[in-house]
Amino acid sequence: MYTCIQNSHVADNLLHDATSNPETLIFCSQTLRSKVQRDFEELPSEAFRQLRDSLNNLLKKFHKGPAIVRTQISIAVAALAVHVPAEDWGDGGIVNWLRDGMNAHPEYIPGFLELLTVLPEEAFNYKIAARPERRRQFEKELTSQMEIALNILTACLSISELKEQVLEAFASWLRLKHGIPGSVLATHPLVLTALSSLNCDILSEASVNVVSELIHYTASGSSGGVSVQMPLIQVIVPQVMSLQAQLRDSSKDDEDVKAIARLFADMGDSYVELIATGSNEAMMIVNALLEVASLPEFDIASMTFNFWHNLQVILTKRNFDISFGDEASIEAERNRRLQVFRQSYESLVSLVSSRVQYPDDYQNLSYEDLKEFKQTRYAVADVLTDAASVLGGDTTLQILYMKLVEAVSSCRNEQSEWRPAEAALFCIRAISNYVSVVEANVMPQVMDLLSKLPHQPQLLQTVCLIVGAYSKWLDAAPSGFSKLPLVIDILMSGMRTSEDSAAAAALAFRHICDDCRKKLCAYCKQLFHIYYTAVNGEGSFKGSAEDSLHLVEALSMVITELPPEPAKDALEELCSSVVTPLQEVINQGPEVLEKKHARELTVYIDRFAYVFRYVNHPGAVADAVHRLWPIFKAIFDLRAWDMRTMESLCRACKYAVRTSGRFMGITIGAMLEEIQGLYQQHHQPCFLYLSSEVIKIFGSDPSCASYLKNMIEALFKHTTCLLTSIKEFTRRPDIGDDCFLLASRCIRYCPQLFIPSSIFPALVDCAMIGITVQHREASNSILTFLSDIFDLAKSSKGEQFLSIRDSVIIPRGATITRILVAALTGALPSSRLETVAYALLALTRAYGMQALEWAKESVSLIPLAAVKEVERIRFLQALSDAASGADVNVLMIPVEELSDVCRRNRTVQEIVQGALKPLELNLVPVP
């Protein structure tokens, strides 16, 4: 506290010192602003008037600048107003205080105007360490003083050189969304000044901001909405519409055009429901928005994209909001509106589709420019899907096909001009989900055109992607499957051309095998040939190891559709091609296997994971795993120290267990014995994760009970010995994550093995140690585990173990509650509030009044300087209501407010955590 006051005094003194240089003034003004925002409550209560007067003097001193210093001082005064109730400023609060200052010292009006501008902005500035209740009160104070503020601004309009500043302040006050009637604003001098300024030769940025805020204001619920604000809307819309001609005015600079376009976009977004009626006036706005969308600068044209999406949502939603008529009338009105906007969306498709074309210098684009170009393409793709929702995919396809035909002709004339064709294909791919799978007019021609295009890498990549996007069409359309040999040839070219085209081709092959799997069963031999050519080095596959997994997945999905015996043979052939390189390494002896780089092993093991995941023949997969187990065991035994290899192998085993289930037979015992022993030595988290998958599958199987009980006790016992402090949790977060994921699985699938065991209390103790670990996944797993314990009564399997649970939780209840309250109030990031709050709620629902007493004890530890009694009561009442069955969302507001209060600045947070001591468990020994 002393340091805070000392820093504030030094900064204040230097700002008053006439010899301070500009850099010092800027630094000190920022320091003073920060101290007022974050640390004001550390000052003595009598310091307010002295600080206010000092800031007032500084505001006068810097009324002519430097601007950055004046702004910082203004923000500091506004922050002071957030902290201090209106009555402490004198009659009427800070706005009246400000008005009196302007009347007494008109020469300082520029400085006071800046303060008037930032006041509403600071109402929503969460850097200010004010309590939520005080923040709400400040907003009410400002809205009650709105009329006075607008009168001040109106009076200042007479000073012509301050007009821009006045309008900026007006825009700021409009953001409060206070319900001033539209009829009042429609004739208000500030509004009329802003609207008239739109037509000046030099466009006023401040007037654009005001009109933009007015448009948002008229559509906001707090202002009464569009119907109440119609008098104001009828004034705004004609004025903005009169600017349409300026969109094409070459004398206007880009910033002016952008500002005008912004107003049209704001109107579209705010009045979209009115526009959706399709009236003549609405269509004038739509045509203006189409003109904005046609402007060459993408950042301007894209301002309209949100409008086209929202309009599409309204036009296509099934629960059409019409207050009259029966179902037939509603359907007729929906169709009428769709017809009205049809031409607009057709124009939109033509306008935006050209924006995805690669630039001439695409090869020289920087990483950031390439990233921006890709984002542009994604944005355009979204607009095209909006259009397809309104027009229908087949109609949209027809428009884009005409562009493709035009582009292909130029591509044939000039081989280097591939970009328009690639752009058209990109757009056709974007709408693939909206095109009928039996479309018979355009898609056959598109597929025929693909084989005639040059094999330029970017073009070929998009060609491959479009093949994959229309895989359902290849399966369902009358002429679709006949195109398959043609597209397979294209994909094989893609695999050989470049890394990007190979990745696209592999993905497309996967989609085709997924959607055409039944028809492809007769072509297994050919598919294996493609696989060998691409994956086993018989061809020149340019893709990565990750891309090759798509091919493994593709073949596996077709094998799934085969009858049992052919499927078993095909699976054996597929596994044989994968295992051969691994077998060769193992045959070279332990030393070679130990020294291999992990990547040389995981590239093959990952393929097994995909095989076991996607070949849905449980018995065949179980047989394959049994045959392969000696290979897997050799890798487990010699590479258990290697996290990457173990993660890959455990992932393969996980999918084997998931697919094969109880067909695994004796192999599962050998596998679990292996990982149980290796975990004691190498502490690999993936061993815990694999165990949790086994628990999910076998947990309820009585024949496995004895073995599983021994396994989980051994794994948990060793883990609790590893995680003995928050420091250990921080050092080994993955073990914490996977341990408590396994523990939750045990509660759900085999509580009869886990809860009565001797390890259960020790694991609860371990969870209490780790609740406040900063690692997100580890913390969430621990909190979920505790919530599962508290919710045990919800489970039919768990009800019989409530007495055992209670004997463990009740002696620790007060401590668990204190740690959870500490987590809510700053020990964990605020992003975890919902998860922590649910754990606390589950505890309270399980233990009722006893848990509320624990919560009361915990909250009472926090000093009143940090949390007021009324804030404590509000939190405890909400917890009580939620525990009694009220909506859990009701709890979140008081939880968020308690969290906000306790985190409002570093000093308070340290006080709260120092009081709650989440790392001191004070555990009661349990016999």
Side-chain angles (χ1 to χ4, degrees), residues 654-676:
K654 175 189 78 172
Y655 287 122
V657 171
R658 189 176 290 180
T659 298
S660 301
R662 291 179 170 81
F663 285 92
M664 287 283 283
I666 195 169
T667 315
I668 192 69
M671 185 185 296
L672 294 181
E673 188 176 340
E674 184 76 14
I675 62 172
Q676 184 179 325

Side-chain angles (χ1 to χ4, degrees), residues 818-923:
R818 175 169 53 80
I819 298 170
L820 290 174
V821 171
L824 289 174
T825 54
L828 285 177
S830 55
S831 58
R832 315 261 177 87
L833 280 184
E834 197 170 330
T835 311
V836 179
Y838 182 80
L840 186 58
L841 173 63
L843 178 68
T844 310
R845 284 180 173 165
Y847 294 102
M849 291 305 299
Q850 193 172 16
L852 288 171
E853 194 59 38
W854 293 334
K856 186 176 179 181
E857 288 172 12
S858 298
V859 175
S860 68
L861 294 172
I862 305 173
L864 287 171
V867 177
K868 293 179 180 177
E869 186 62 29
V870 67
E871 291 162 338
R872 293 177 180 176
I873 293 170
R874 190 181 299 126
F875 168 74
L876 293 169
Q877 185 59 51
L879 190 60
S880 174
D881 292 344
S884 303
D887 185 356
V888 67
N889 293 324
V890 173
L891 174 63
M892 286 313 297
I893 295 173
V895 163
E896 287 167 1
E897 293 199 351
L898 182 70
S899 174
D900 193 15
V901 164
C902 293
R903 298 171 195 259
R904 63 187 185 270
N905 61 36
R906 187 176 299 172
T907 303
V908 170
Q909 193 162 345
E910 288 172 356
I911 290 171
V912 172
Q913 294 305 308
L916 291 171
K917 297 181 172 60
L919 300 182
E920 292 184 19
L921 301 187
N922 297 324
L923 294 175

Side-chain angles (χ1 to χ4, degrees), residues 57-74:
N57 290 333
L58 290 172
L59 201 58
K60 293 174 184 176
K61 176 181 177 181
F62 296 110
H63 76 281
K64 290 185 178 179
I68 187 172
V69 175
R70 186 179 67 198
T71 299
Q72 296 302 309
I73 301 300
S74 298

Side-chain angles (χ1 to χ4, degrees), residues 79 102 598 730 866:
M102 293 171 87
T730 303

